[in-house]
Amino acid sequence: MIVALGCNLPGAYTSREALLEAAVAALPSEGLEVIARSGWWRSAAWPDPDGPEYLNGVALVRTALPPAEALAALHRIEARFGRARGEANAARTLDLDLVAHGRTVLDGDLIVPHPRAHDRLFVMGPLAELAPAWVHPILAQTASALADKASVGRDARPEGASGEQTRSGH
């Protein structure tokens, strides 16, 4: 499973980085085992670039949960971190998106893979860093190719050094 993480408000944490690190650490409490994760990427707020800058990343996750239950688990974690759902594209403490769940394709109340992730550099860039050869289950294109073509968040860039990869338990 691929989970995109992002925020542009630190909430109760000292920084956005600290919040996102805590969110990654919270995933296993919901049955979502982190196998690896990208480094953090910065990008301007969208659609209003005058808002606080975003920090984003991607985690590869192992889970026995089906897609709807995995998404519900992500929403519970968001709520624990102070996410209040309201206005679309508003500043937020934590955004966790289910980008893909194996090769599963769903087109109902829950759409998998995420219907817009492939066009967002702040998702595809970190994913290409982590798993460049990952192939989109519908578009049949790699994460690297999708990152090259992404039209939203073209200013997204890795923070500092190229991202680190972490394995579960480290």
Side-chain angles (χ1 to χ4, degrees):
M1 184 169 103
I2 300 169
V3 175
L5 304 97
C7 72
N8 67 341
L9 299 174
Y13 290 82
T14 57
S15 67
R16 291 167 303 153
E17 292 87 347
L19 182 142
L20 290 174
E21 293 291 344
V24 169
L27 291 170
S29 71
E30 291 284 349
L32 305 169
E33 178 190 1
V34 178
I35 303 305
R37 73 159 180 88
S38 70
W40 302 124
W41 284 53
R42 295 182 174 280
S43 63
W46 183 90
D48 180 4
D50 291 332
E53 185 178 61
Y54 272 85
L55 202 58
N56 295 93
V58 169
L60 301 182
V61 173
R62 182 179 302 136
T63 187
L65 298 174
E69 289 180 32
L71 182 61
L74 294 175
H75 287 171
R76 285 191 296 274
I77 294 169
E78 286 179 340
R80 272 192 263 159
F81 282 79
R83 169 76 186 267
R85 292 186 175 274
E87 182 183 339
N89 301 313
R92 62 199 68 157
T93 55
L94 183 61
D95 189 19
L96 299 175
D97 287 332
L98 175 57
V99 174
H101 195 287
R103 304 299 301 159
T104 300
V105 175
L106 299 173
D107 190 14
D109 290 338
L110 174 58
I111 300 173
V112 177
H114 188 288
R116 294 171 302 282
H118 69 276
D119 200 32
R120 296 173 172 173
L121 184 56
F122 51 84
V123 175
M124 287 297 119
L127 182 57
E129 169 189 302
L130 189 59
W134 174 80
V135 176
H136 192 286
I138 295 172
L139 301 175
Q141 295 177 48
T142 65
S144 290
L146 291 169
D148 287 343
K149 293 184 201 178
S151 63
V152 176
R154 287 300 313 166
D155 68 312
R157 64 203 180 282
E159 177 178 77
S162 71
E164 68 181 88
Q165 291 185 18
T166 58
R167 305 263 172 233
S168 180
H170 298 279

